[in-house]
Amino acid sequence: MERREHAARPVAGLLGLVVLALLFFATAAVAATPLRGAIDRSFGHNGRFFSRLGESLASSEFTSMLRQPDGKLVLTATVQTPYGGTRMVVQRRQPTGQLDPGFGEGGTTILPKAGSVKGLAIQADGRILVGVPPTDTLCRAVNSTVRRLAPNGAPDPSFGKQGVSAAVPFSVDRVAVDAEGRILVAGFAVSSHCIKGPAPRYELAVARLNADGTLDSGFGSDGVVHVGGEGEPGATRATGLVVGDDGRILVAGTRSLLRLSADGALDPSFGQGGIVETVDSPKALLALPGGEAVIAGSTSDAVWSCCAEPSDFVLSRHRPDGSLDADFGNDGRATLDVAEFDEASAVALSPDGGIVLAGGAVAADGCVAGDCAFTPILARFSSDGALDPDFGPGGRIVVEFPGGSPGYGYVPRIAGLAVAPSGQILAAGGAGRWSNGFVVAREPSGAPDPGFGDAGAIEEVRTLPSWSDPIGLAIGPGGKILVSASSDAGAHIRRGALVGLNADGSADLGFGPSGSFVPTEMWSPVAIDGRGRAYQIDRGVVARLDSRGQRDPLYGTEGTARLPRRFAVGAFLVRNDGTVLVVGRFATRQGMVAFRLTPRGLPDRGFGKNGVVEIGFGPTLAKALSVAVDRRGRIVLAGKVGLAAAVVRLLPDGRLDPRFARHGRRLNLPTGLTAGSDVALQADGKILVASSPGSLARSRFASLVRLRPDGALDRSFSRDGVRRVGRVARLLSLFVARRRILLATARGSFGDGYGADLRAYQLDGGIDPRFGRKGVASVPATVAGRTFRPVAAARQANGRIIVAGTARKIDGPGAAIALLRFR
């Protein structure tokens, strides 16, 4: 038998990234002939192998934080899964950062229903209030609620309906409690609709609830006050809410500061009729003793959205009548310029009367297409508005993001800020999707507090069932098995990885730093050379890993070799010495292409032109889909020209073989329309080509064609050189043994296919009756309620066939990678 070495074919349409859980079930259906075509029960566990390598990570972000008098921290968070939907979380943590086991379940209470939390307040008796805005606030009247938890984290049944207040007719942003235990909420209301109508009108809104969760009819109009304003969504939302000891209410909007009397009327002794128009864009509000207040903001209100206007951090201190305090900073304003774009997000009071500011800063070149790589910043000002030289270098510090940089398009932000009586500074936040929420603790000097969490920081890690799919399968020396896969296990997003197994289906603990698993960030099939080194192709490069799963620095440039530009890969083959053959086509040209790399990862200049061979077919579009090499080094490409199957044979130096068919090309194989193709070589030089139909084909039957060494149809094979195969969704692989031809396919008529068939034929094309049941061994599409979608097959040196696929839940959480072996 001619050796085909180690070939791999890309699988189109697979998304995401990778870790493994291998699971499958044996069935009696394939055991009719126990010695051939039966499940190999010596493989893994009863013919199957599975291993859980970890859950995936749900994104989390802390949205607010308050410090209790006993030093414990109460935090709200939003948890977002990769599959859509959000959950609302309330936590309590010890002063050292650990979760408080006396709160909720292990320190956490997950609120029912999806959504996000906006606003947090703690009553004098330790009960916790959180605001829950609606999920849709753009074009319709909306209702929010306030939820109250008992000090142990359970819903408070004495508040509203099972801990949920009466409906508040606007979107809540802030929550506060007055001296009488009444609850204030502030946000924005939609006062006109935009569904099939004009642009909506938005108004700043404030409501007051009684201690039992009902709206307070003695406040405003039936418990609600609206302050006129219009603009884009969020242009008038509340950015701060403070209630004074006298019951007066101070509210910061996106462009103003206003004060209401205890009954909800605008306070005429404050600003102009109760309103102060601000020069800056307020982002947070801090009450000071004596009725003064500090606004933390930015000189522009367009920073977070798209970095459109340069901006500086700014603090402004206002007297009880709303006017700026000229004794603070420069005529009432203190500014800080860290980078081109600076945006404040939180503010807190130090025990000595100083002010701590939190926000983000980014340089001008850190904003690309509206995505800005902000860096979290903490700064401390003295009570007169001067930067505190004893805090960090020059009064400010950069806050390192725990766990490294977040995912693309998301930036770490500080949403909550608290200062302990000792001067310890606590900052909580997150970075949206593909990241974890964080809390960092800093000493009064700005240095990380080693007594908090892990070296001054904690992360909020949430897990859920992983989603894993195999992409490719390869067998190496000694029967070692490698599975390339896409999975989100151990990560927030799906990524590429390799999983190593021993020949018997057990985990190869010597592969990868954590045992059997190596993230590669490459989504492609895998091939192995004679020394056990793994190869993958993705994004225009070939990567090589050594037998332990580490990137091979001796290959190409730091372990990767680059393909020619615009190369559309159809398949690749790795020879035992490490020579790589890549076939396909150029995206901007018509013909088939073969490209060869030396074992060192360099273009093989002895092959074609600088390693590249192009095979033209006139104006017809062609692509190579599979490749094999015979004992004489001749290269056989199988693919399609137009919609018909074709075969090309090259000499070892890349020239077309003039002894094969017509000038090295064999066109129009009698297979019908072709979507997929695989090729295998017999020991006598004959060529077998498997072809599967495309979606345009009338027939859904695959075909096996055998050519003589000269390229002519071998009419001694089946019927005039062609063997019709059953309906298939997709070809997995074609193998030639000494006395048998094996074809692995996904079952179905077209597409992904569920369940697999392994078909055995004699060398003359007849069905092998000694294999399976009438020549077919099958893996059903559903076993015990669990589906199986095959993607690849490979043959071990002992002749046993392994099929890899996705088992259990397909295309969702809990999807696992399964291996099954036939004997």
Side-chain angles (χ1 to χ4, degrees), residues 387-410:
L387 280 169
D388 185 348
D390 295 328
F391 184 75
R396 64 178 186 260
I397 59 171
V398 173
V399 180
E400 296 81 8
F401 183 75
S405 299
Y408 172 78
Y410 297 88

Side-chain angles (χ1 to χ4, degrees), residues 29-53:
V30 297
T33 307
L35 296 179
R36 293 182 174 87
I39 300 297
D40 183 357
R41 300 189 184 280
S42 67
F43 179 78
H45 177 68
N46 217 16
R48 60 194 186 273
F49 180 81
F50 65 94
S51 174
R52 294 301 298 267
L53 297 180

Side-chain angles (χ1 to χ4, degrees), residues 643 671-675 691-702 727-728 749-750:
L643 297 176
T671 61
L673 302 184
T674 297
S691 177
S692 62
S695 60
L696 300 178
R698 293 182 180 179
S699 172
R700 293 292 186 267
F701 289 91
R727 293 179 181 271
V728 303
S749 59
F750 187 74

